[in-house]
Amino acid sequence: MDFNDTPEEAAYRAQVREWLEANAPKEPLDLSDMEGGGSLAASKAWQAKKAAAGYAQITWPREWGGPGGTPIQQVIFSQEEAKYPIPPNPFQIGLGMCVPTVMTFADEETKKRFVGPALRGEEIWCQLFSEPSGGSDVAAARTRAVRDGDEWVISGQKVWTTGAQISDFGIVITRTNPDAPKHKGMTMFWVDMKDPGIEVRPIHQMSGGSGFNEVFFTDVRVKDSQRLGAVDDGWRVSLVTLMNERLAVGGATGAQWNQFLEAARSVPGMNGAPALKDQSVREKLADWYVQAEGLKHTRNRTITALSKGQTPGPESSIGKVVSAMQMQELAHTAIEMLDQYGIINDPELAPLRGAFHASWLTAPGLRIAGGTDEILKNIIAERVLGLPGDIRVDKDVPFKDMPTGR
């Protein structure tokens, strides 16, 4: 691995730093009203500013509004942008997963209609895959689409859809052929989230937020021109989205081991001594430090591959599965260390303005988003370690004949 910028990368980093210093916000925003207030407007304004300067989607070709840059340039910009208190990014799912799927499978007219507005932050997209009965199995989708002339009628339910309540459009995977095996009878469409047949119900999360949603489809009519890919070929289309999702979601963020270290120096532990004197606390810190270093160097390996023009492998799945679990364990240990004061999550009173509490309440969702722990471990086992795949007894069974319980 090479940890140093090449001369070209160093020059680009200097260019990015100069632009960010002149344009990026310097003070954090009030993020209390993500669903429809000033923070959403600020996010759209920041996205439009980046798009105008060619920094919104650096690797996209010029014909679609990008500068045709390299993946390592995108990494450099993200690294430098992270140093500023920028607004939330409600465009990540659309630009990272949905719009690339549209760009791959839609007709030219559809691409011209949607790519530009999404890039400039004028329209927001969501991904409608997960279902109540499907768990981590995207191919278990039961939301059905029935053809009616030049239209399709969609009925069913999706769940855990991030950002659906603020989205303008979405991509949805449906069941179009129940007589085929589950991976061969699916079709994907793009839909207008303002359609009267679509109902969005935000899910109140234990963190206090409502980023996830239930979405109900009741006889929603879509044109055949809204289809992405061939009929019954939706699984192949979904794979494009899912591979982009792994990259877009990335690793978990939250309170880190060094912040825990600082808290442990001041919080009293056994016999009134600082908690840092406790051997079990020091052992956990050592574990988290080693994990953090491992993740850092795994990311460096990916960055090195990008710098050389290579495509990173499936080892990128390691980042999220390790960091999300570490985030949950670290936050839980910190709250326990605070003892009775651990119940206080008031930002004005709690350590790190309640960062440990925020991590603790957010981590379970991150262990699901972008692929559950179990799915990612299967990817690592099969594609990184070369272990045999799981036995699939339903591989050739028609979807309608699959058991659904008692």
Side-chain angles (χ1 to χ4, degrees), residues 6 37 44 65 72 104 109 111 117 130 149 174 229 240 267 271 328 345 356:
T6 65
K44 289 190 172 186
I72 191 61
T104 303
E109 182 179 352
K111 295 176 189 178
S130 298
T174 66
V240 173
V267 173
N271 302 319
Q328 187 169 7
N345 65 354
F356 293 127

Side-chain angles (χ1 to χ4, degrees), residues 20 25 142 180 280 293 295 299 326 336 353 375 392 400:
L20 286 169
R142 296 183 176 278
S280 63
E293 288 296 293
L295 289 172
R299 286 192 293 268
Q326 183 196 78
E336 282 198 329
R353 297 187 59 80
I375 292 294
R392 284 177 46 203
K400 66 179 183 179

Side-chain angles (χ1 to χ4, degrees), residues 4 7 23 41 69 95 114 130 154 173 228 240 287 300 312 322 393 404:
N4 300 312
N23 293 277
L95 297 178
F114 289 121
S130 298
I154 301 176
I173 190 70
L228 299 174
V240 173
D287 288 341
N300 286 338
V322 173
V393 298
T404 59

